[in-house]
Amino acid sequence: MVQRSQLKVLITEEQIAARVAELGRQITEEYAGRDLAVVGILKGSFMFMADLVRKIDLDCTVDFLGLSSYGLKTRSSGVVKITSDLTMPIEDRDVLIVEDIIDTGLTMQYLLENLNTRKPRSLAIATLLYRRAREGQDGDVPIHYKGFTIDDHYVIGYGLDYAGLHRNVPFVGYRE
Ligand code: IMP
Ligand code: MG
């Protein structure tokens, strides 16, 4: 078990806010005049999603897709399950997937294949965190908007959980 008090700060609330604002500005420029559908992957992205969409100064829809790949373990099982689907069609729309972290990329590969069958006009990925250790490995997916590249810590907080806990921690931390 990991206690809240054992968490060390990796990325502060202030650093997150500054980076999210930058990503929002970039997305605002790049999606101007397009038909933006922002899709958050539950549950881990909920906090990033809420902060990011407030920094996107455009008309857009917001929808969520529930996926589970980890169960209660801390390593990817490679098995991805849709636990709740989108509520709106994405055909012919410019879809931006919002994810908490890309690790092996297996979750994202599955998701890209699934969403591509629904014929979006475009499909891009924004992830808060990306693990450097994974660069160039199997399951590599193109990431258009990366918040922070991190080393090989298991990270917790700002939406990311440890066995279901600590999603509400306002910074990104790790256990020492
Ligand atoms: P992937 O399929 O290996 O890329 O796993 C991605 C998913 O695993 C993410 O969407 C997270 O939900 C979860 N995950 C991966 N690494 C971490 C971590 O360090 N902390 C919390 N969740 C993680
Ligand atoms: Mg996730």
Side-chain angles (χ1 to χ4, degrees):
M1 217 39 295
V2 179
Q3 311 286 334
R4 208 182 150 99
S5 60
Q6 293 175 296
L7 294 178
K8 295 281 171 253
V9 180
L10 183 67
I11 309 171
T12 66
E13 282 186 73
E14 292 74 18
Q15 288 171 316
I16 295 169
R19 186 69 185 122
V20 170
E22 273 174 18
L23 292 175
R25 275 194 294 275
Q26 202 184 336
I27 292 165
T28 301
E29 277 176 25
E30 292 172 9
Y31 282 86
R34 296 167 72 185
D35 182 19
L36 177 59
V38 186
V39 170
I41 307 309
L42 294 174
K43 301 175 212 160
S45 76
F46 80 98
M47 206 173 279
F48 177 41
M49 177 81 167
D51 287 342
L52 183 64
V53 291
R54 280 181 285 182
K55 299 294 179 189
I56 299 177
D57 189 15
L58 296 172
D59 292 350
C60 65
T61 59
V62 169
D63 204 353
F64 290 95
L65 192 101
L67 275 191
S68 109
S69 66
Y70 268 43
L72 293 178
K73 297 192 300 272
T74 57
R75 254 171 297 137
S76 191
S77 60
V79 179
V80 182
K81 192 172 77 183
I82 292 193
T83 54
S84 95
D85 207 348
L86 296 176
T87 61
M88 290 177 280
I90 54 167
E91 188 170 347
D92 286 332
R93 304 199 58 207
D94 294 300
V95 176
L96 180 64
I97 302 171
V98 177
E99 179 58 302
D100 52 357
I101 182 165
I102 297 187
D103 180 16
T104 63
L106 289 170
T107 304
M108 195 49 76
Q109 266 189 349
Y110 169 85
L111 197 64
L112 290 176
E113 276 170 31
N114 183 295
L115 295 184
N116 264 320
T117 66
R118 308 183 196 194
K119 307 266 178 276
R121 181 178 300 134
S122 66
L123 196 51
I125 300 169
T127 188
L128 177 70
L129 303 171
Y130 175 73
R131 265 211 187 88
R132 197 193 311 275
R134 297 291 180 189
E135 221 140 27
Q137 296 195 14
D138 284 357
D140 233 8
V141 290
I143 304 168
H144 308 81
Y145 305 97
K146 262 184 219 172
F148 301 89
T149 300
I150 60 168
D151 290 322
D152 203 10
H153 298 287
Y154 186 85
V155 285
I156 304 166
Y158 196 70
L160 294 108
D161 71 312
Y162 183 90
L165 288 175
H166 310 314
R167 293 192 194 275
N168 59 321
V169 167
F171 56 85
V172 175
Y174 63 101
R175 182 178 45 173
E176 247 190 339

